[in-house]
């Protein structure tokens, strides 16, 4: 997440008073940035523990526990933008979720998401720290192929206006053990699509 944070925030291109959905908001990392830029944000996530952390940080923001694999409880054309950072890898049926995002996004709206690069698998890598929330207990991770994302976008009638691959670099070195750091050199971690 450190790798893509600044890149993703730039791509969002927030305008004051826009309504933005932070889909899979987790602990509110992006929600906080989007609010600072002047937008109105609704954060949604399936994990109650993460939402509690987000609400503690941002008590004035509306957070809702929602399963992104179901029909979303929002009106058609409601949001100016949807941000979905590192969440789609937890969704089995990409086509359904993207169709729902397209339904609730305004006609000229933008959907910006990031995922772990389809060619990058973090299985067997060791981190130097542990999170206070064990996401693995609550969520599956699906290793979608790049073409699955493209097909889901096409089926959902989204038009991609850019793809950015983020190589793994020194920004995460302090998080990995020495052995794991050696394994990732020269590989891509993140894809950001807008």
């Amino acid at each position: 997440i450190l790798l893509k944070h600044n890149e993703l925030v730039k791509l969002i291109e927030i305008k004051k008073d826009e309504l933005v959905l932070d889909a899979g908001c987790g602990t509110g990392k992006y929600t906080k940035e989007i609010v600072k830029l002047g937008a109105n944000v609704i954060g949604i996530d399936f994990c109650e523990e993460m939402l509690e952390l987000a609400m503690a940080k941002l008590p004035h923001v509306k957070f809702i526990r929602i399963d992104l694999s179901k029909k979303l409880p929002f009106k058609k054309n409601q949001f100016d933008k949807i941000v979905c950072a590192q969440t789609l890898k937890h969704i089995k049926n990409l086509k359904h979720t993207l169709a729902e995002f397209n339904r609730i996004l305004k006609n000229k709206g933008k959907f910006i998401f990031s995922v772990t690069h389809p060619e990058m698998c973090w299985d067997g890598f060791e981190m130097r720290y542990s999170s206070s929330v064990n996401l693995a207990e609550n969520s599956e991770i699906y290793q979608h192929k790049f073409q699955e994302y493209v097909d889901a976008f096409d089926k959902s009638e989204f038009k991609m206006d850019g793809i950015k691959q983020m190589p793994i670099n020194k920004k995460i070195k302090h998080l990995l053990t020495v052995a794991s750091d050696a394994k990732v050199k020269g590989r891509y971690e993140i894809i950001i699509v807008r």
Side-chain angles (χ1 to χ4, degrees):
I1 289 178
L2 286 174
L3 279 176
K4 68 177 173 36
H5 184 260
N6 293 338
E7 292 292 329
L8 192 63
V9 170
K10 279 186 228 171
L11 286 173
I12 298 169
E13 297 176 345
I14 293 298
K15 293 179 179 71
K16 189 171 175 22
D17 297 324
E18 284 183 316
L19 182 57
V20 178
L21 178 67
D22 188 355
C25 65
T27 61
K29 179 178 182 173
Y30 289 98
T31 310
K32 183 177 178 181
E33 296 294 324
I34 298 165
V35 167
K36 271 197 236 177
L37 294 169
N40 300 307
V41 184
I42 296 175
I44 61 174
D45 204 286
F46 76 98
C47 181
E48 191 67 40
E49 292 171 292
M50 287 192 169
L51 286 173
E52 287 172 9
L53 293 170
M55 287 185 261
K57 278 195 268 188
L58 301 161
H60 58 288
V61 173
K62 182 175 184 176
F63 290 99
I64 309 168
R65 185 173 186 194
I66 291 177
D67 181 347
L68 289 174
S69 67
K70 310 278 191 236
K71 183 170 173 48
L72 300 176
F74 302 111
K75 294 182 284 187
K76 184 176 179 179
N77 301 320
Q78 185 170 346
F79 294 93
D80 296 293
K81 295 190 174 130
I82 299 174
V83 177
C84 188
Q86 290 297 313
T87 300
L88 291 179
K89 65 187 174 189
H90 299 288
I91 305 296
K92 186 174 185 174
N93 184 347
L94 294 172
K95 291 174 186 173
H96 166 78
T97 300
L98 292 178
E100 275 297 286
F101 287 164
N102 198 18
R103 179 184 67 79
I104 64 174
L105 192 61
K106 291 180 180 176
N107 287 336
K108 300 271 184 184
K110 289 188 179 182
F111 170 51
I112 302 97
F113 82 95
S114 65
V115 292
T116 303
H117 197 288
E119 294 178 6
M120 183 64 189
C121 178
W122 285 97
D123 292 349
F125 286 84
E126 297 175 357
M127 305 297 279
R128 291 182 190 260
Y129 77 98
S130 62
S131 173
S132 61
V133 177
N134 187 350
L135 189 57
E137 288 179 359
N138 300 307
S139 176
E140 296 288 330
I141 294 180
Y142 300 96
Q143 298 289 331
H144 297 296
K145 304 277 187 239
F146 186 80
Q147 191 62 46
E148 290 178 71
Y149 288 105
V150 172
D151 291 346
F153 264 86
D154 189 45
K155 178 95 172 151
S156 305
E157 300 179 5
F158 273 110
K159 291 181 177 70
M160 285 191 241
D161 81 21
I163 297 174
K164 183 170 186 128
Q165 297 185 102
M166 300 292 296
I168 293 173
N169 63 30
K170 294 177 184 174
K171 289 183 182 179
I172 66 164
K173 187 174 182 140
H174 70 283
L175 300 174
L176 298 171
T177 63
V178 174
S180 291
D181 181 53
K183 288 181 190 178
V184 300
K185 282 192 194 296
R187 297 178 78 180
Y188 289 98
E189 183 204 6
I190 302 293
I191 296 181
I192 300 173
V193 179
R194 170 182 125 155

